[in-house]
Amino acid sequence: MATQTPARPRPDREEGPRGAAPRVRRRLFGIGLWMPATVAVLLCGLAWTAVAEDQPYLLPPLPEVGTVLVEDPGLFLGNAWSTLQIALLGVSFGAGTAFVLSLVMSEVPVVRRAIMPLAVVLNVTPVVALAPALVVAFGFGMAPKVIVTAIITFFPVLINMTTGLRSVPVPVLHVFSTLHASRLEVLLRLRVPSSLPYALAALRVVFPLSIVGAVVAEFVAAGSSSGLGTMIRTSAATARLEYVYAAIACLAAMGVLMLALITVLERRLLFWHESQQ
C-alpha cells in the first residue's frame, strides 16, 4: 500500500512583496508623513497673516505676494535665471577646484600642509569685504559675482572630499598593496569611490548655498542690473515689500529644487551605500 507523502508547505515568498508594497505606499502617502509639515505651514501662514494685519509695514499680506507672482511671472523668471546662472557657474568653479585640490592633497602631503591653512584663511575671510576689490579687478560683469559664489562653495567641498579620500579602511588598502596596485589604481578604484558619499553630502550643502552666494554677490557687487538679489535690494529701497518676499519665495523654491535634484542623484549613485538602505 503506497503511502502518500504529505505536501510540503510552500514558502511564503509572495507575502513579502505583497506586504511590502502597501507599507511603502503608507510611508509615501501616509498621514503621518505629510500632516506635521502641513500643520507647520498652516501655522506659519496664520502667524504671517496676523502680523501682516497688525503691522503691514513689516510683512505684506500673503495674497499680495501671490498676486505679484501671478501677474508678472516673466519678471521673476528672468531674474531667477540670472541668479541661477551665477549660482551654477560659481558652484562649478568652486566645487571643481576643490575636487582637484583634494585629489592632489590626498596624494602629496606637502601640498595638503601648504594649501589647507590658506583655505582656512579664505573661508574665514568675509566675502563682503572681498567683493569691492573683485569688482575693481574684474569689472562690473558676471565675473566678480561668480568668484564670490565660488569662494563660498569652495571650502565645504574641499573639507569633505579630503576627509573622504583619506577615510579608506586599512585592510582594504592592504589588499590593494598585496595585489601590487599602483597609486593611480588605488586612487581611482578605491579612494574616489569611497569618497563619493562625502562628495555628494558636500554637494547637498553647497548647491543650495550657491543660491545664497549668488544673492550676496548681487547685493555687494556693483553694477548688478538683474537677478533676484538686485530685485530684493531695489524693492526694499522703495518699500515694495510684496516684491521683496515674492523674490525670497522664488529663491527658496530654487534652493529646494536644487536640493531635491542632488538627493535624487545621491539615491541613484549610492544605492549600494548603507546610508540609503
Side-chain angles (χ1 to χ4, degrees):
M1 178 176 168
T3 58
Q4 186 175 2
T5 304
R8 297 176 60 185
R10 295 178 59 188
D12 192 6
R13 296 180 180 177
E14 298 181 357
E15 285 187 358
R18 289 179 181 175
R23 284 197 298 270
V24 172
R25 285 194 292 268
R26 283 196 297 269
R27 285 199 299 267
L28 291 177
F29 304 104
I31 190 172
L33 180 64
W34 300 105
M35 183 58 71
T38 304
V39 172
V41 170
L42 290 176
L43 290 177
C44 289
L46 291 175
W48 183 299
T49 302
V51 174
E53 290 180 354
D54 186 54
Q55 299 177 344
Y57 57 88
L58 184 62
L59 288 178
L62 286 176
E64 291 186 7
V65 177
T67 301
V68 167
L69 287 170
V70 172
E71 288 182 349
D72 197 358
L75 175 65
F76 292 93
L77 289 176
N79 286 283
W81 172 241
S82 180
T83 302
L84 185 61
Q85 283 181 304
I86 297 173
L88 293 179
L89 288 174
V91 76
S92 299
F93 283 111
T97 304
F99 178 77
V100 174
L101 279 178
S102 62
L103 291 178
V104 177
M105 290 164 57
S106 67
E107 296 297 315
V108 186
V110 175
V111 177
R112 181 174 68 249
R113 290 193 293 269
I115 295 296
M116 191 58 71
L118 297 178
V120 172
V121 171
L122 182 64
N123 182 59
V124 299
T125 302
V127 182
V128 178
L130 294 176
L134 293 174
V135 171
V136 173
F138 297 99
F140 297 98
M142 188 180 291
K145 303 178 186 63
V146 172
I147 294 174
V148 168
T149 307
I151 292 173
I152 291 176
T153 59
F154 169 79
F155 194 72
V157 178
L158 181 69
I159 292 298
N160 273 39
M161 280 298 302
T162 303
T163 304
L165 290 169
R166 298 179 63 187
S167 300
V168 177
V170 175
V172 182
L173 283 174
H174 289 166
V175 172
F176 272 70
S177 177
T178 303
L179 296 175
H180 304 288
S182 63
R183 294 184 67 176
L184 182 61
E185 289 176 334
V186 173
L187 178 64
L188 297 180
R189 296 179 180 272
L190 179 60
R191 293 190 183 275
V192 172
S194 298
S195 65
L196 192 58
Y198 294 85
L200 290 173
L203 291 181
R204 290 184 66 181
V205 175
V206 299
F207 262 82
L209 189 62
S210 66
I211 300 293
V212 179
V215 173
V216 171
E218 291 171 347
F219 279 166
V220 299
S224 299
S225 59
S226 62
L228 292 175
T230 305
M231 176 184 287
I232 292 173
R233 187 182 62 199
T234 56
S235 299
T238 56
R240 295 188 299 174
L241 293 180
E242 62 276 10
Y243 282 87
V244 172
Y245 285 99
I248 293 174
C250 293
L251 290 171
M254 290 166 57
V256 170
L257 181 59
M258 295 179 73
L259 180 60
L261 291 176
I262 294 298
T263 303
V264 171
L265 179 64
E266 184 179 19
R267 291 181 178 177
R268 293 289 184 180
L269 295 180
L270 296 182
F271 61 90
W272 52 271
H273 196 257
E274 59 184 5
S275 64
Q276 304 298 321
Q277 301 302 318

